[in-house]
Amino acid sequence: MASINDNYLKLKAGYLFPEIGRRVSAFAQENPEANIIKLGIGDVTEPLPQACRDAMMKAIEDMGDRTSFKGYGPEQGYGWLREKIAQNDFQALGCDVSPEEIFISDGSKCDCGNILDIFGKNNKIAVTDPVYPVYVDTNVMAGHTGDANEKGEYEGLVYLPISANNDFTAEIPSEAVDLIYLCFPNNPTGATATKEYLQKWVNYAQENGSIILFDAAYEAFITDPNLPHSIFEIEGARECAIEFRSFSKNAGFTGTRCAFTVVPKNLKGKASDGSEVEIWKLWNRRQSTKFNGVSYIVQRGAEAVYSPEGKAEISQLVNFYLENASIIRQELTKAGLTVYGGVNAPYVWVKTPDALSSWDFFDKLLHNVHIVGTPGSGFGAAGEGYFRLSAFNSRENVIEAMKRITTTFNFA
């Protein structure tokens, strides 16, 4: 009989979002008349920008003509898309990022897990608590942790608590770690990071030979001109950071699938013999071997994000979801709840009332007002007593959801 990867057996019962789906499905079957509004998973609801649709339609026509047909493309992504990304997302901010350092992929979630292929099993890894579950679960799958304790914390990981006491921004660890996961704007708390704060992390990474895995999937929601959009706006980051980006939330590509990862060519890691190795070469080799690239049609759609028409439509989409977040913040505050996030971020982080657990509050909203959110405890032990609501929904649903909560409950 074939043996399995026993590390999968260390995972908790179910990934957070499938567990939410299971509970919601069970409730819906028992209550078929219930109009359930989902503000849980961060999936977009608004149509793809017209500029992207037009570009993809044109690309489909290209595929019907022998002279413009495309077969396998470069695993790293087409040069014309990588150039547009470098110019608009990085060089325009003063960041020293070249097109060759940008790798197009089918999702930042995939890249956050796949990047572990090129790192050794003996690294000390730091994650915030609460945290996006993918960072933890992929390390468990890769054999980088021991078993989980009763609180769900895995042996071998360094947990950095974030709470209202530290503005949901982790303290610099007192010990040396090798890989550090940072996400800003933060999922799940909606917190943001200043340049001064990120500079402290870059300084720490340089002093300790660490690498920062910086998830900037929600950077498009930053409207404060004083906040950085990229880790590469920070001096010294090219020597110690990898950045993950996505078209999912700004351009609505959750079902279309396109993202990218930035790996500086001068970023280095250490081999078992003590020699220094360029991380870029390892990631390039990994992608060339295990990935066939994103489709030509989708990459043309992503390229259109940077057209004048695309930029205007993206701005409208982002503002739409930020307005949803503002409505959620305002209405929940009026209802007497303590809320965080929802400014420069599409997530609102809510303190559960009356000392309710995260899952108890989940059930209370689902069963009483038919609204789905995400239990904070699903993001880590320090998320217990909190609840995440997503601004990714229609305006009609957001207004209706807040009406149900404010007219049914009084948390003051």
Side-chain angles (χ1 to χ4, degrees):
M1 182 178 293
S3 61
I4 64 163
N5 179 353
D6 283 347
N7 293 303
Y8 278 68
L9 303 181
K10 295 185 291 188
L11 292 167
K12 290 179 288 185
Y15 179 50
L16 172 61
F17 298 111
E19 173 60 18
I20 291 172
R22 186 190 67 77
R23 294 194 183 202
V24 173
S25 294
F27 176 80
Q29 288 178 0
E30 296 173 1
N31 303 273
E33 77 291 346
N35 177 20
I36 300 172
I37 297 177
K38 298 179 180 180
L39 299 177
I41 191 170
D43 194 5
V44 297
T45 58
E46 303 310 295
L48 286 174
Q50 185 67 50
C52 299
R53 302 200 306 270
D54 289 346
M56 293 171 74
M57 291 295 291
K58 170 63 169 60
I60 290 173
E61 293 299 322
D62 290 346
M63 298 297 276
D65 186 326
R66 180 181 292 275
T67 61
S68 55
F69 172 81
K70 298 291 187 295
Y72 288 124
E75 295 91 350
Q76 302 82 1
Y78 285 100
W80 35 262
L81 176 56
R82 300 165 83 191
E83 289 169 6
K84 288 287 177 61
I85 292 170
Q87 293 167 5
N88 288 274
D89 287 342
F90 297 100
Q91 293 167 8
L93 297 174
C95 301
D96 180 17
V97 172
S98 70
E100 293 75 21
E101 295 172 320
I102 295 167
F103 293 79
I104 310 300
S105 74
D106 57 356
S108 59
K109 175 181 177 180
C110 306
D111 287 352
C112 284
N114 292 336
I115 199 73
L116 297 176
D117 282 2
I118 66 173
F119 289 108
K121 295 185 181 299
N122 297 320
N123 288 309
K124 184 174 288 187
I125 298 163
V127 297
T128 62
D129 182 10
V131 66
Y132 180 43
V134 169
Y135 309 155
V136 173
D137 288 358
T138 52
N139 274 285
V140 175
M141 293 171 177
H144 297 168
T145 75
D147 293 324
N149 62 22
E150 65 280 357
K151 295 195 297 183
E153 298 169 334
Y154 286 93
E155 178 187 2
L157 292 182
V158 176
Y159 288 89
L160 308 174
I162 57 176
S163 68
N165 294 331
N166 58 15
D167 294 323
F168 299 101
T169 53
E171 304 293 334
I172 302 293
S174 56
E175 59 186 308
V177 299
D178 302 303
L179 296 177
I180 305 155
Y181 287 86
L182 295 179
C183 175
F184 291 105
N186 184 255
N187 179 15
T189 70
T192 53
T194 64
K195 289 183 178 180
E196 292 75 17
Y197 175 75
L198 292 181
Q199 187 68 65
K200 292 178 182 178
W201 275 107
V202 168
N203 294 345
Y204 169 88
Q206 289 181 317
E207 292 167 4
N208 291 279
S210 314
I211 291 179
I212 298 169
L213 303 177
F214 192 77
D215 186 347
Y218 301 96
E219 62 79 30
F221 295 89
I222 296 174
T223 58
D224 186 337
N226 296 314
L227 294 176
H229 289 250
S230 168
I231 190 71
F232 298 118
E233 294 181 59
I234 310 304
E235 184 177 356
R238 283 185 56 84
E239 289 76 48
C240 64
I242 293 171
E243 182 164 310
F244 305 100
R245 292 277 192 103
S246 174
F247 293 102
S248 286
K249 306 304 165 63
N250 64 334
F253 273 46
T254 53
T256 307
R257 310 309 303 151
C258 194
F260 59 92
T261 291
V262 181
V263 183
K265 285 194 171 183
N266 53 331
L267 179 66
K268 293 183 172 60
K270 185 171 291 187
S272 57
D273 63 4
S275 61
E276 291 188 349
V277 178
E278 294 179 23
I279 298 296
W280 184 94
K281 289 184 177 179
L282 297 182
W283 184 243
N284 187 58
R285 183 69 168 86
R286 190 268 173 207
Q287 293 297 85
S288 298
T289 302
K290 289 189 172 185
F291 186 56
N292 263 339
V294 176
S295 79
Y296 169 74
I297 297 165
V298 169
Q299 289 192 63
R300 281 299 188 192
E303 181 192 28
V305 166
Y306 302 102
S307 67
E309 298 81 7
K311 288 180 179 180
E313 291 181 86
I314 296 299
S315 178
Q316 291 175 357
L317 272 178
V318 168
N319 288 335
F320 174 83
Y321 291 123
L322 283 174
E323 288 170 10
N324 279 352
S326 179
I327 292 170
I328 295 171
R329 273 184 59 92
Q330 292 173 10
E331 294 304 312
L332 294 185
T333 300
K334 289 179 184 177
L337 291 169
T338 300
V339 300
Y340 305 92
V343 179
N344 298 302
Y347 295 123
V348 177
W349 190 240
V350 184
K351 186 78 176 90
T352 59
D354 305 321
L356 286 173
S357 73
S358 298
W359 279 107
D360 284 345
F361 191 57
F362 173 91
D363 289 333
K364 186 181 185 74
L365 291 184
L366 176 60
H367 288 269
N368 288 280
V369 291
H370 310 157
I371 293 170
V372 177
T374 308
S377 58
F379 297 101
E384 179 57 76
Y386 289 94
F387 198 76
R388 193 193 76 175
L389 289 174
S390 166
F392 295 114
N393 214 307
S394 67
R395 183 62 47 78
E396 178 183 4
N397 278 349
V398 167
I399 291 174
E400 173 62 21
M402 293 305 102
K403 178 182 177 182
R404 292 183 195 176
I405 291 175
T406 56
T407 57
T408 304
F409 304 115
N410 182 7
F411 300 112

